[in-house]
Amino acid sequence: MLFVTAAANLRENMPRDCKFLSDVLAILEDRFHIRPPVVPVLNQIDQLFSPGTDLNKLGEFERATLDEALAFYREIMARGKVSGTGRVVGDPVPVSSYLRFQKEKDSTGTFRVVMPGRIVEDGRWNIDALKGVLIGMLPMDAAIGAARVGQIVEVQRTLIARIRTAVAT
């Protein structure tokens, strides 16, 4: 289960989001006897910084801001006892998934996204790290297939390390 929380207004929204997650997990366990792993994701990282900030080249101030947001996220998860359930998998993965598509006026004068949409601004950041976490949770056969299809070099390296560890033990 992905637990996606927006970085914007994190202090106001995170306690409520954490309670909602705890409630959902309790229902899943009580009614269906399911304890899904939870992958914490901090989305919209770009909104923590000035417009135009290159997320691939964060300065000291930006890095400190991101670290502070991630620390707060971990603290609220722990305080809400979500992380204590043993279901939360690893640290929150910070990502930005912003895309802006080309728009054109239609016959009514309304701007609409052109299909197929041409990306005019691509603010995606750290998505491969999230893919890596998700693929790392899959059984080996499924993970190998996903890495092959996705051509994700980082994930392929992780899988090679997993295979080496499995063979060595």
Side-chain angles (χ1 to χ4, degrees), residues 69-133:
L70 292 170
F72 179 74
Y73 192 107
R74 284 186 211 96
E75 174 189 329
I76 294 297
M77 292 285 283
R79 192 181 314 152
K81 297 189 175 43
V82 174
S83 59
T85 63
R87 293 183 269 205
V88 176
V89 179
D91 273 342
V93 181
V95 299
S96 176
S97 54
Y98 176 78
L99 291 172
R100 190 166 58 87
F101 295 92
Q102 178 182 356
K103 294 181 179 181
E104 292 180 0
K105 279 187 182 180
D106 65 11
S107 60
T108 66
T110 304
F111 279 98
R112 302 209 186 271
V113 173
V114 178
M115 293 296 169
R118 186 173 79 81
I119 297 171
V120 294
E121 187 176 352
D122 188 344
R124 291 177 286 189
W125 175 78
N126 215 27
I127 301 297
D128 280 346
L130 178 58
K131 289 178 193 175
V133 169

Side-chain angles (χ1 to χ4, degrees), residues 1-3 16-26 38 77 82 88:
M1 174 184 295
L2 286 178
F3 176 52
R16 182 195 66 229
D17 292 349
C18 192
K19 169 135 181 32
F20 176 75
L21 174 63
S22 294
D23 292 346
V24 169
L25 292 173
V38 176
M77 292 285 283
V82 174
V88 176

